[in-house]
């Protein structure tokens, strides 16, 4: 009984696989004179179609736009110059080094080692942070 069931299932799978191979490529991918630009315009609601939905999308985009004022036009070169890479601002201007203060520690006189050897008191200096830290552009404005 189980053998007949698996045989019929195998026969059905073979029939489906052969039926899939019998499909024509022209039926699946019809060839017409549409270019990729035409397909793109139809899909995105561009100039070659789109209808009411494309018009609503364009109206929504237009309502979000605002005209540039004279102050915006005058300030644009200065704003753009801050992001221009030059030899002068590449290292020193974009990523400032954050301060890493030195800590001074006094070690009191003590005995050290397996044989208690006296060690005189001394002063040592070490940085607060283990590594040099850098600020992101715009995080730190004052120089030091």
């Amino acid at each position: 009984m189980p053998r007949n069931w698996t045989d019929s299932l195998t026969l059905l799978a073979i029939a489906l696989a052969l039926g899939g191979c019998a499909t024509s490529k022209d039926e699946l991918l019809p060839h017409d004179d549409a270019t990729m630009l035409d397909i793109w315009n139809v899909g995105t609601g561009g100039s070659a179609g789109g209808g009411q939905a494309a018009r609503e999308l364009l109206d929504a985009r237009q309502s979000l736009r605002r005209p540039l004022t004279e102050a915006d036009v005058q300030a644009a070169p200065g704003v753009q110059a801050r992001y221009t890479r030059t030899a002068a601002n590449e290292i020193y201007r974009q990523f400032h080094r954050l301060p890493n203060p030195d800590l001074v520690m006094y070690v009191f006189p003590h005995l050290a080692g397996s044989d208690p050897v006296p060690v005189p008191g001394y002063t040592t200096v070490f940085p607060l942070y283990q590594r040099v830290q850098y600020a992101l552009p715009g995080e730190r404005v004052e120089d030091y």
Side-chain angles (χ1 to χ4, degrees), residues 75-97:
V79 171
Q80 293 169 357
R82 285 187 288 169
Y83 293 101
T84 303
R85 294 175 64 173
T86 63
N89 71 1
E90 182 64 26
I91 295 173
Y92 301 108
R93 282 289 170 216
Q94 289 183 347
F95 299 99
H96 293 278
R97 289 179 76 159

Side-chain angles (χ1 to χ4, degrees), residues 32 34-45 48:
D32 55 359
T35 64
M36 284 303 297
L37 181 60
D38 296 335
I39 295 170
W40 174 263
N41 285 334
V42 169
T44 59

Side-chain angles (χ1 to χ4, degrees), residues 16 21 24 47-48 55 67 70 74 85 89 100 103 128 136:
L16 288 175
C21 294
S24 166
S47 61
R55 186 72 213 161
E70 187 62 32
Q74 295 297 327
R85 294 175 64 173
N89 71 1
N100 191 4
L103 299 178
L128 178 64
L136 293 175

